[in-house]
Amino acid sequence: MTLTAPPRAATPQLPAFVTGEELHELVQRLFPICRSITGSGVRLTLGILGEYLPGLQVSAVPSGVPAFDWTVPPEWNIRDAYIKNAAGERVVDFQAHNLHVVSYSVPVQGWFTREALEPHLHSLPEQPDLIPYRTSYYAEEWGFCLTHRQRLALTEPGYEVCINSTLAPGELTYGELLLVGETSAEVLISAHICHPSLANDNLSGLAVAVFLARHLQQVPHHYSYRFVFAPGTIGALVWLSRNGEAVGRIRHGLVLALLGQAGPFTYKQSRRGNAAVDRAAALALRAASVAHEIRPFVPYGYDERQYCSPGFDLPVGCLSRTPYGEFPEYHTSADNLDFVRPDTLLDSLLMTQAVVEVLEANRRYRNLHPYGEPQLGRRGLYKHVGGGPDGAGWQLALLWVLNLSDGHHSLLDIAERSGLPFEQIQRAANLLVSYDLLAAE
Ligand code: ZN
């Protein structure tokens, strides 16, 4: 006599039309835009995200508004920038690549000796063909980023320099989408939106978040989901400072970043380290049988730094592939549209969805026949089909769920303690409920 599993539960599937190419197309559309922490690039980007996510709300917060210990900076916009040689040729040209200008550079115009220009140049001697990405958000600086080969070729005594930018009172913009579920308790999904032409960091995170939202719009969900697309650090701080009520409803959260490069998954735990989202991510990654690493929280990285600051201590982890600074293309012009692959983006979306599905399904049950084991055979839970591939695991799953469903242990607890896949534990619970052996708490 063998105990066999019922057919796989109908887990929500991606709508058939979603392909990795579709995610990559969104990355392609966003890639040319020169974004920063404020300015028209962020507005343009939010406009495109709004095409994918009707209902996306864009908020604008004026320069000078405080957010905890920070202040919304002047708005930065740039039209053009170059370094010209004596012949009038652009030897460094913002029009060719927006990484060429240090983000938030103050305007500058004039002739500079080669020597005077030197402290304003940034290049990577170890990667002589790549343009680095640099910012000077909170300092009055200007500068150019260029390949090291370009820098070595600057041998004339002087150059004409122009950065046609403005730093003026304006606004910081961020986008937000709330998908209301059965409960007002919320899951926060956050991705930074402030990098210029860099594909993995973080257009990949934006694309995965957008398509996760589109998926959730099409399936019933227990939690309400709040998607926040905000410039790094200051954007998250501004959002936190203006949304105290929503912050109080956050039960789980994920920062999505660096999800388009084919490295192993990396999950960075929340500050709490044992939050449900930390445990759900670990189980989802284990079940997927993919190379992955789980790292403890450190107060550095993306906006989990703000969400996990001690005053909030929100249960927000960060899902990425290879972490920042650990791949040679990081923050360089090599983080381009070829570096981010459609199939990787799709895998990242599916993994994010798998974490969400664990959170959605996790709950506590109570065994309605807790005095001894209920007789499973009499109820038709045993089937004579010659031993399914996961027959033994399936029997164990039923027994674990019955044993630990005392109203105190959640399905996450049971999956962890049994070592069985969460999805199997979930199916066992569903079946036991349908046989009136178990009731949701
Ligand atoms: Zn970055």
Short mmCIF file of all heavy atoms in Angstrom, two decimals, residues 245-310:
data_model
loop_
_atom_site.label_atom_id
_atom_site.label_comp_id
_atom_site.label_asym_id
_atom_site.label_seq_id
_atom_site.Cartn_x
_atom_site.Cartn_y
_atom_site.Cartn_z
N GLU A 245 1.61 55.36 7.79
CA GLU A 245 0.53 54.37 7.94
C GLU A 245 0.81 53.11 7.15
O GLU A 245 0.65 51.99 7.63
CB GLU A 245 -0.80 54.97 7.47
CG GLU A 245 -1.54 55.68 8.58
CD GLU A 245 -2.95 56.06 8.14
OE1 GLU A 245 -3.59 55.27 7.41
OE2 GLU A 245 -3.38 57.15 8.54
N ALA A 246 1.23 53.31 5.90
CA ALA A 246 1.53 52.15 5.06
C ALA A 246 2.70 51.37 5.65
O ALA A 246 2.71 50.14 5.64
CB ALA A 246 1.86 52.61 3.63
N VAL A 247 3.68 52.09 6.16
CA VAL A 247 4.84 51.42 6.76
C VAL A 247 4.38 50.47 7.86
O VAL A 247 4.87 49.35 7.99
CB VAL A 247 5.84 52.46 7.31
CG1 VAL A 247 6.91 51.80 8.19
CG2 VAL A 247 6.52 53.20 6.15
N GLY A 248 3.38 50.91 8.64
CA GLY A 248 2.87 50.09 9.72
C GLY A 248 2.15 48.83 9.25
O GLY A 248 1.91 47.92 10.04
N ARG A 249 1.79 48.80 7.97
CA ARG A 249 1.07 47.62 7.45
C ARG A 249 2.01 46.62 6.77
O ARG A 249 1.57 45.57 6.31
CB ARG A 249 0.00 48.07 6.45
CG ARG A 249 -1.16 48.81 7.08
CD ARG A 249 -2.33 48.94 6.12
NE ARG A 249 -2.01 49.81 5.00
CZ ARG A 249 -2.24 51.13 4.98
NH1 ARG A 249 -2.82 51.72 6.00
NH2 ARG A 249 -1.92 51.85 3.92
N ILE A 250 3.30 46.96 6.66
CA ILE A 250 4.23 46.08 5.93
C ILE A 250 4.55 44.85 6.77
O ILE A 250 5.04 44.95 7.88
CB ILE A 250 5.53 46.84 5.56
CG1 ILE A 250 5.23 47.95 4.56
CG2 ILE A 250 6.56 45.87 4.99
CD1 ILE A 250 6.39 48.87 4.28
N ARG A 251 4.23 43.70 6.22
CA ARG A 251 4.51 42.43 6.90
C ARG A 251 5.74 41.74 6.31
O ARG A 251 6.40 40.95 6.99
CB ARG A 251 3.30 41.49 6.77
CG ARG A 251 2.04 42.02 7.42
CD ARG A 251 2.15 42.10 8.94
NE ARG A 251 0.93 42.67 9.50
CZ ARG A 251 0.73 43.97 9.67
NH1 ARG A 251 1.69 44.84 9.35
NH2 ARG A 251 -0.40 44.44 10.16
N HIS A 252 5.97 41.99 5.04
CA HIS A 252 7.10 41.37 4.35
C HIS A 252 7.57 42.35 3.28
O HIS A 252 6.78 43.17 2.81
CB HIS A 252 6.70 40.07 3.64
CG HIS A 252 5.81 39.17 4.44
ND1 HIS A 252 6.27 38.43 5.50
CD2 HIS A 252 4.48 38.91 4.34
CE1 HIS A 252 5.26 37.73 6.01
NE2 HIS A 252 4.16 38.02 5.34
N GLY A 253 8.84 42.23 2.89
CA GLY A 253 9.30 43.11 1.83
C GLY A 253 10.53 42.57 1.13
O GLY A 253 11.31 41.81 1.71
N LEU A 254 10.65 42.98 -0.13
CA LEU A 254 11.80 42.58 -0.94
C LEU A 254 12.30 43.78 -1.71
O LEU A 254 11.51 44.49 -2.35
CB LEU A 254 11.39 41.52 -1.96
CG LEU A 254 11.32 40.06 -1.54
CD1 LEU A 254 10.82 39.23 -2.73
CD2 LEU A 254 12.69 39.54 -1.09
N VAL A 255 13.59 44.02 -1.64
CA VAL A 255 14.24 44.94 -2.56
C VAL A 255 14.75 44.09 -3.72
O VAL A 255 15.35 43.03 -3.51
CB VAL A 255 15.41 45.67 -1.85
CG1 VAL A 255 16.28 46.40 -2.85
CG2 VAL A 255 14.85 46.63 -0.81
N LEU A 256 14.46 44.54 -4.94
CA LEU A 256 14.87 43.80 -6.14
C LEU A 256 15.96 44.57 -6.86
O LEU A 256 15.78 45.74 -7.19
CB LEU A 256 13.67 43.58 -7.06
CG LEU A 256 12.50 42.80 -6.48
CD1 LEU A 256 11.37 42.68 -7.50
CD2 LEU A 256 12.94 41.41 -6.01
N ALA A 257 17.10 43.93 -7.08
CA ALA A 257 18.22 44.60 -7.75
C ALA A 257 19.11 43.57 -8.41
O ALA A 257 19.20 42.43 -7.94
CB ALA A 257 19.03 45.42 -6.74
N LEU A 258 19.77 43.97 -9.49
CA LEU A 258 20.79 43.12 -10.12
C LEU A 258 20.26 41.73 -10.45
O LEU A 258 20.81 40.73 -10.03
CB LEU A 258 22.02 42.99 -9.19
CG LEU A 258 22.64 44.26 -8.65
CD1 LEU A 258 23.81 43.94 -7.73
CD2 LEU A 258 23.09 45.19 -9.76
N LEU A 259 19.19 41.68 -11.23
CA LEU A 259 18.53 40.40 -11.48
C LEU A 259 18.63 39.94 -12.94
O LEU A 259 17.95 39.01 -13.33
CB LEU A 259 17.06 40.49 -11.05
CG LEU A 259 16.86 40.48 -9.53
CD1 LEU A 259 15.46 40.94 -9.16
CD2 LEU A 259 17.14 39.09 -8.96
N GLY A 260 19.51 40.60 -13.72
CA GLY A 260 19.56 40.24 -15.14
C GLY A 260 20.82 39.54 -15.59
O GLY A 260 20.94 39.13 -16.73
N GLN A 261 21.76 39.39 -14.67
CA GLN A 261 23.04 38.79 -15.03
C GLN A 261 23.02 37.34 -14.58
O GLN A 261 22.45 37.02 -13.54
CB GLN A 261 24.16 39.57 -14.32
CG GLN A 261 25.53 38.99 -14.46
CD GLN A 261 26.09 38.54 -13.13
OE1 GLN A 261 25.37 38.42 -12.14
NE2 GLN A 261 27.38 38.26 -13.12
N ALA A 262 23.66 36.47 -15.36
CA ALA A 262 23.47 35.03 -15.15
C ALA A 262 24.29 34.46 -14.00
O ALA A 262 24.74 33.34 -14.06
CB ALA A 262 23.80 34.30 -16.44
N GLY A 263 24.48 35.20 -12.94
CA GLY A 263 25.16 34.66 -11.77
C GLY A 263 24.16 33.96 -10.86
O GLY A 263 22.96 34.01 -11.08
N PRO A 264 24.67 33.28 -9.83
CA PRO A 264 23.76 32.61 -8.89
C PRO A 264 22.93 33.62 -8.11
O PRO A 264 23.35 34.77 -7.93
CB PRO A 264 24.71 31.86 -7.95
CG PRO A 264 26.03 32.54 -8.09
CD PRO A 264 26.08 33.12 -9.47
N PHE A 265 21.77 33.19 -7.65
CA PHE A 265 20.93 34.06 -6.83
C PHE A 265 21.63 34.35 -5.51
O PHE A 265 22.32 33.49 -4.94
CB PHE A 265 19.58 33.39 -6.54
CG PHE A 265 18.63 33.47 -7.69
CD1 PHE A 265 18.41 32.36 -8.51
CD2 PHE A 265 17.95 34.65 -7.96
CE1 PHE A 265 17.52 32.44 -9.57
CE2 PHE A 265 17.06 34.73 -9.02
CZ PHE A 265 16.85 33.62 -9.83
N THR A 266 21.44 35.56 -5.03
CA THR A 266 21.92 35.92 -3.70
C THR A 266 20.74 36.55 -2.96
O THR A 266 20.12 37.48 -3.46
CB THR A 266 23.06 36.94 -3.78
OG1 THR A 266 24.11 36.39 -4.59
CG2 THR A 266 23.63 37.24 -2.39
N TYR A 267 20.44 35.99 -1.80
CA TYR A 267 19.41 36.61 -0.97
C TYR A 267 20.07 37.19 0.27
O TYR A 267 20.76 36.48 1.00
CB TYR A 267 18.32 35.60 -0.56
CG TYR A 267 17.32 36.24 0.36
CD1 TYR A 267 16.36 37.12 -0.14
CD2 TYR A 267 17.38 36.05 1.74
CE1 TYR A 267 15.47 37.76 0.70
CE2 TYR A 267 16.49 36.68 2.59
CZ TYR A 267 15.54 37.55 2.06
OH TYR A 267 14.67 38.20 2.89
N LYS A 268 19.87 38.47 0.46
CA LYS A 268 20.39 39.14 1.65
C LYS A 268 19.26 39.26 2.66
O LYS A 268 18.21 39.84 2.38
CB LYS A 268 20.92 40.52 1.27
CG LYS A 268 21.36 41.34 2.46
CD LYS A 268 21.78 42.73 1.98
CE LYS A 268 21.92 43.67 3.15
NZ LYS A 268 22.28 45.03 2.72
N GLN A 269 19.47 38.69 3.82
CA GLN A 269 18.42 38.67 4.84
C GLN A 269 18.11 40.07 5.36
O GLN A 269 18.95 40.97 5.32
CB GLN A 269 18.85 37.79 6.01
CG GLN A 269 18.99 36.32 5.64
CD GLN A 269 19.55 35.51 6.78
OE1 GLN A 269 20.36 35.99 7.56
NE2 GLN A 269 19.14 34.25 6.86
N SER A 270 16.91 40.20 5.89
CA SER A 270 16.54 41.44 6.58
C SER A 270 17.39 41.56 7.85
O SER A 270 18.07 40.62 8.27
CB SER A 270 15.07 41.39 6.96
OG SER A 270 14.86 40.47 8.02
N ARG A 271 17.32 42.71 8.45
CA ARG A 271 18.05 42.94 9.70
C ARG A 271 17.66 41.92 10.77
O ARG A 271 18.47 41.49 11.57
CB ARG A 271 17.73 44.36 10.18
CG ARG A 271 18.37 44.81 11.47
CD ARG A 271 17.92 46.25 11.71
NE ARG A 271 18.54 46.86 12.88
CZ ARG A 271 18.00 46.86 14.09
NH1 ARG A 271 16.86 46.24 14.30
NH2 ARG A 271 18.62 47.48 15.08
N ARG A 272 16.37 41.52 10.74
CA ARG A 272 15.89 40.55 11.73
C ARG A 272 16.52 39.17 11.52
O ARG A 272 16.69 38.42 12.46
CB ARG A 272 14.37 40.42 11.65
CG ARG A 272 13.65 41.73 11.87
CD ARG A 272 12.15 41.50 11.77
NE ARG A 272 11.40 42.74 11.80
CZ ARG A 272 10.08 42.79 11.78
NH1 ARG A 272 9.37 41.68 11.74
NH2 ARG A 272 9.45 43.96 11.82
N GLY A 273 16.79 38.83 10.26
CA GLY A 273 17.47 37.58 9.94
C GLY A 273 16.57 36.36 9.93
O GLY A 273 16.88 35.38 9.26
N ASN A 274 15.48 36.40 10.67
CA ASN A 274 14.58 35.24 10.71
C ASN A 274 13.15 35.64 10.38
O ASN A 274 12.21 34.97 10.80
CB ASN A 274 14.63 34.58 12.10
CG ASN A 274 14.13 35.54 13.17
OD1 ASN A 274 13.97 36.74 12.91
ND2 ASN A 274 13.88 35.04 14.37
N ALA A 275 13.00 36.73 9.64
CA ALA A 275 11.66 37.17 9.23
C ALA A 275 11.08 36.13 8.27
O ALA A 275 11.81 35.36 7.64
CB ALA A 275 11.74 38.53 8.56
N ALA A 276 9.76 36.13 8.16
CA ALA A 276 9.10 35.17 7.27
C ALA A 276 9.65 35.28 5.85
O ALA A 276 9.85 34.27 5.17
CB ALA A 276 7.59 35.39 7.29
N VAL A 277 9.94 36.51 5.40
CA VAL A 277 10.45 36.66 4.04
C VAL A 277 11.84 36.04 3.91
O VAL A 277 12.18 35.45 2.88
CB VAL A 277 10.43 38.15 3.59
CG1 VAL A 277 11.43 39.00 4.37
CG2 VAL A 277 10.68 38.26 2.09
N ASP A 278 12.63 36.12 4.97
CA ASP A 278 13.96 35.48 4.94
C ASP A 278 13.81 33.97 4.81
O ASP A 278 14.53 33.32 4.05
CB ASP A 278 14.72 35.80 6.23
CG ASP A 278 14.92 37.30 6.44
OD1 ASP A 278 15.09 38.01 5.43
OD2 ASP A 278 14.91 37.75 7.61
N ARG A 279 12.87 33.43 5.55
CA ARG A 279 12.68 31.98 5.55
C ARG A 279 12.00 31.54 4.25
O ARG A 279 12.33 30.49 3.71
CB ARG A 279 11.85 31.60 6.77
CG ARG A 279 12.57 32.01 8.08
CD ARG A 279 11.64 32.02 9.26
NE ARG A 279 11.11 30.69 9.50
CZ ARG A 279 9.98 30.44 10.18
NH1 ARG A 279 9.28 31.45 10.67
NH2 ARG A 279 9.56 29.22 10.35
N ALA A 280 11.07 32.36 3.75
CA ALA A 280 10.40 32.02 2.49
C ALA A 280 11.40 32.02 1.34
O ALA A 280 11.37 31.13 0.48
CB ALA A 280 9.27 33.01 2.22
N ALA A 281 12.29 33.00 1.34
CA ALA A 281 13.29 33.08 0.27
C ALA A 281 14.20 31.86 0.33
O ALA A 281 14.52 31.25 -0.71
CB ALA A 281 14.10 34.37 0.39
N ALA A 282 14.60 31.47 1.53
CA ALA A 282 15.49 30.31 1.67
C ALA A 282 14.80 29.05 1.16
O ALA A 282 15.40 28.24 0.43
CB ALA A 282 15.91 30.14 3.13
N LEU A 283 13.53 28.88 1.50
CA LEU A 283 12.80 27.69 1.06
C LEU A 283 12.58 27.70 -0.45
O LEU A 283 12.70 26.66 -1.11
CB LEU A 283 11.45 27.60 1.78
CG LEU A 283 11.51 27.15 3.24
CD1 LEU A 283 10.12 27.19 3.85
CD2 LEU A 283 12.10 25.75 3.36
N ALA A 284 12.25 28.87 -1.00
CA ALA A 284 12.00 28.95 -2.45
C ALA A 284 13.28 28.66 -3.22
O ALA A 284 13.27 27.96 -4.24
CB ALA A 284 11.45 30.32 -2.82
N LEU A 285 14.40 29.18 -2.73
CA LEU A 285 15.67 28.94 -3.41
C LEU A 285 16.07 27.47 -3.31
O LEU A 285 16.55 26.87 -4.26
CB LEU A 285 16.76 29.85 -2.82
CG LEU A 285 16.63 31.32 -3.21
CD1 LEU A 285 17.44 32.22 -2.27
CD2 LEU A 285 17.10 31.53 -4.66
N ARG A 286 15.84 26.89 -2.14
CA ARG A 286 16.17 25.47 -1.95
C ARG A 286 15.32 24.61 -2.88
O ARG A 286 15.81 23.69 -3.53
CB ARG A 286 15.92 25.07 -0.49
CG ARG A 286 16.39 23.67 -0.13
CD ARG A 286 16.09 23.35 1.32
NE ARG A 286 14.68 23.01 1.52
CZ ARG A 286 14.13 22.79 2.72
NH1 ARG A 286 14.85 22.90 3.82
NH2 ARG A 286 12.86 22.46 2.83
N ALA A 287 14.04 24.94 -2.97
CA ALA A 287 13.13 24.13 -3.80
C ALA A 287 13.48 24.24 -5.27
O ALA A 287 13.26 23.30 -6.03
CB ALA A 287 11.69 24.58 -3.57
N ALA A 288 14.03 25.38 -5.67
CA ALA A 288 14.34 25.58 -7.09
C ALA A 288 15.58 24.81 -7.51
O ALA A 288 15.88 24.69 -8.70
CB ALA A 288 14.51 27.06 -7.38
N SER A 289 16.33 24.29 -6.54
CA SER A 289 17.56 23.54 -6.83
C SER A 289 18.49 24.33 -7.74
O SER A 289 19.01 23.80 -8.73
CB SER A 289 17.24 22.18 -7.48
OG SER A 289 16.47 21.40 -6.62
N VAL A 290 18.68 25.59 -7.44
CA VAL A 290 19.61 26.41 -8.22
C VAL A 290 20.73 26.87 -7.29
O VAL A 290 20.57 26.91 -6.07
CB VAL A 290 18.92 27.67 -8.81
CG1 VAL A 290 17.95 27.27 -9.90
CG2 VAL A 290 18.22 28.48 -7.73
N ALA A 291 21.87 27.18 -7.91
CA ALA A 291 22.98 27.70 -7.12
C ALA A 291 22.54 29.02 -6.48
O ALA A 291 21.95 29.87 -7.15
CB ALA A 291 24.18 27.95 -8.03
N HIS A 292 22.77 29.14 -5.20
CA HIS A 292 22.39 30.39 -4.55
C HIS A 292 23.15 30.55 -3.25
O HIS A 292 23.76 29.61 -2.75
CB HIS A 292 20.88 30.42 -4.27
CG HIS A 292 20.43 29.40 -3.26
ND1 HIS A 292 20.11 28.11 -3.61
CD2 HIS A 292 20.26 29.48 -1.92
CE1 HIS A 292 19.74 27.44 -2.53
NE2 HIS A 292 19.84 28.24 -1.49
N GLU A 293 23.11 31.75 -2.74
CA GLU A 293 23.78 32.04 -1.48
C GLU A 293 22.84 32.90 -0.64
O GLU A 293 22.18 33.79 -1.16
CB GLU A 293 25.07 32.80 -1.77
CG GLU A 293 25.96 32.91 -0.56
CD GLU A 293 27.25 33.70 -0.85
OE1 GLU A 293 27.56 33.91 -2.04
OE2 GLU A 293 27.90 34.10 0.11
N ILE A 294 22.83 32.61 0.65
CA ILE A 294 22.05 33.44 1.56
C ILE A 294 23.03 34.16 2.47
O ILE A 294 23.90 33.53 3.08
CB ILE A 294 21.05 32.59 2.35
CG1 ILE A 294 20.01 32.05 1.35
CG2 ILE A 294 20.38 33.41 3.45
CD1 ILE A 294 19.04 31.09 1.90
N ARG A 295 22.91 35.47 2.48
CA ARG A 295 23.86 36.26 3.26
C ARG A 295 23.14 37.00 4.38
O ARG A 295 22.00 37.44 4.21
CB ARG A 295 24.55 37.29 2.36
CG ARG A 295 25.39 36.64 1.28
CD ARG A 295 26.24 37.67 0.59
NE ARG A 295 27.03 37.05 -0.47
CZ ARG A 295 27.94 37.68 -1.19
NH1 ARG A 295 28.17 38.99 -0.97
NH2 ARG A 295 28.63 37.06 -2.12
N PRO A 296 23.82 37.17 5.48
CA PRO A 296 23.19 37.93 6.58
C PRO A 296 23.13 39.41 6.24
O PRO A 296 23.85 39.90 5.36
CB PRO A 296 24.13 37.67 7.76
CG PRO A 296 25.44 37.33 7.14
CD PRO A 296 25.15 36.69 5.82
N PHE A 297 22.29 40.11 6.95
CA PHE A 297 22.14 41.55 6.76
C PHE A 297 23.45 42.28 7.08
O PHE A 297 24.15 41.93 8.02
CB PHE A 297 21.05 42.07 7.70
CG PHE A 297 20.86 43.57 7.63
CD1 PHE A 297 20.18 44.15 6.58
CD2 PHE A 297 21.40 44.39 8.62
CE1 PHE A 297 20.02 45.53 6.51
CE2 PHE A 297 21.25 45.76 8.55
CZ PHE A 297 20.55 46.33 7.49
N VAL A 298 23.76 43.25 6.25
CA VAL A 298 24.80 44.23 6.59
C VAL A 298 24.20 45.61 6.28
O VAL A 298 23.39 45.73 5.36
CB VAL A 298 26.11 44.05 5.79
CG1 VAL A 298 26.87 42.82 6.26
CG2 VAL A 298 25.84 43.97 4.29
N PRO A 299 24.58 46.62 7.04
CA PRO A 299 23.96 47.95 6.83
C PRO A 299 24.57 48.69 5.66
O PRO A 299 24.98 49.84 5.76
CB PRO A 299 24.21 48.67 8.16
CG PRO A 299 25.46 48.04 8.67
CD PRO A 299 25.47 46.61 8.19
N TYR A 300 24.66 48.02 4.50
CA TYR A 300 25.18 48.60 3.29
C TYR A 300 24.41 47.93 2.17
O TYR A 300 23.78 46.90 2.40
CB TYR A 300 26.69 48.30 3.18
CG TYR A 300 27.39 49.16 2.16
CD1 TYR A 300 27.59 50.51 2.39
CD2 TYR A 300 27.82 48.62 0.95
CE1 TYR A 300 28.23 51.30 1.45
CE2 TYR A 300 28.46 49.41 0.00
CZ TYR A 300 28.65 50.75 0.26
OH TYR A 300 29.26 51.53 -0.68
N GLY A 301 24.43 48.51 0.97
CA GLY A 301 23.71 47.89 -0.13
C GLY A 301 22.66 48.81 -0.70
O GLY A 301 22.93 49.98 -0.94
N TYR A 302 21.45 48.28 -0.92
CA TYR A 302 20.40 49.08 -1.55
C TYR A 302 19.45 49.62 -0.48
O TYR A 302 19.83 49.80 0.67
CB TYR A 302 19.71 48.26 -2.64
CG TYR A 302 20.68 47.92 -3.75
CD1 TYR A 302 21.18 46.64 -3.91
CD2 TYR A 302 21.15 48.92 -4.59
CE1 TYR A 302 22.12 46.36 -4.91
CE2 TYR A 302 22.08 48.65 -5.58
CZ TYR A 302 22.57 47.38 -5.74
OH TYR A 302 23.49 47.11 -6.71
N ASP A 303 18.20 49.83 -0.83
CA ASP A 303 17.32 50.55 0.11
C ASP A 303 16.85 49.72 1.28
O ASP A 303 16.19 50.25 2.18
CB ASP A 303 16.16 51.19 -0.65
CG ASP A 303 16.65 52.39 -1.44
OD1 ASP A 303 17.58 53.06 -0.95
OD2 ASP A 303 16.13 52.65 -2.53
N GLU A 304 17.24 48.45 1.34
CA GLU A 304 17.02 47.69 2.58
C GLU A 304 17.76 48.36 3.73
O GLU A 304 17.38 48.21 4.89
CB GLU A 304 17.46 46.22 2.41
CG GLU A 304 18.94 45.98 2.24
CD GLU A 304 19.43 46.18 0.81
OE1 GLU A 304 18.63 46.62 -0.03
OE2 GLU A 304 20.61 45.88 0.54
N ARG A 305 18.78 49.15 3.41
CA ARG A 305 19.49 49.92 4.45
C ARG A 305 18.54 50.84 5.19
O ARG A 305 18.66 51.05 6.40
CB ARG A 305 20.58 50.79 3.81
CG ARG A 305 21.71 50.03 3.25
CD ARG A 305 22.52 50.86 2.31
NE ARG A 305 23.24 51.96 2.94
CZ ARG A 305 24.24 52.60 2.38
NH1 ARG A 305 24.66 52.25 1.18
NH2 ARG A 305 24.84 53.57 3.00
N GLN A 306 17.65 51.46 4.42
CA GLN A 306 16.69 52.40 5.03
C GLN A 306 15.54 51.64 5.68
O GLN A 306 15.14 51.94 6.81
CB GLN A 306 16.17 53.39 3.98
CG GLN A 306 17.25 54.02 3.11
CD GLN A 306 18.42 54.58 3.90
OE1 GLN A 306 18.26 55.08 5.02
NE2 GLN A 306 19.63 54.50 3.34
N TYR A 307 14.98 50.66 4.94
CA TYR A 307 13.84 49.92 5.47
C TYR A 307 14.23 49.16 6.75
O TYR A 307 13.40 48.95 7.63
CB TYR A 307 13.30 48.92 4.43
CG TYR A 307 12.87 49.58 3.13
CD1 TYR A 307 13.34 49.15 1.89
CD2 TYR A 307 12.00 50.66 3.15
CE1 TYR A 307 12.94 49.75 0.71
CE2 TYR A 307 11.59 51.28 1.97
CZ TYR A 307 12.08 50.82 0.75
OH TYR A 307 11.69 51.43 -0.41
N CYS A 308 15.50 48.77 6.83
CA CYS A 308 15.97 48.00 7.99
C CYS A 308 16.72 48.89 8.99
O CYS A 308 17.42 48.37 9.86
CB CYS A 308 16.85 46.84 7.55
SG CYS A 308 16.00 45.59 6.58
N SER A 309 16.60 50.20 8.86
CA SER A 309 17.21 51.06 9.89
C SER A 309 16.45 50.82 11.19
O SER A 309 15.28 50.42 11.17
CB SER A 309 17.17 52.53 9.45
OG SER A 309 15.85 52.93 9.17
N PRO A 310 17.11 51.02 12.34
CA PRO A 310 16.52 50.53 13.59
C PRO A 310 15.15 51.12 13.91
O PRO A 310 14.32 50.46 14.54
CB PRO A 310 17.56 50.89 14.65
CG PRO A 310 18.45 51.90 14.02
CD PRO A 310 18.43 51.61 12.55
#
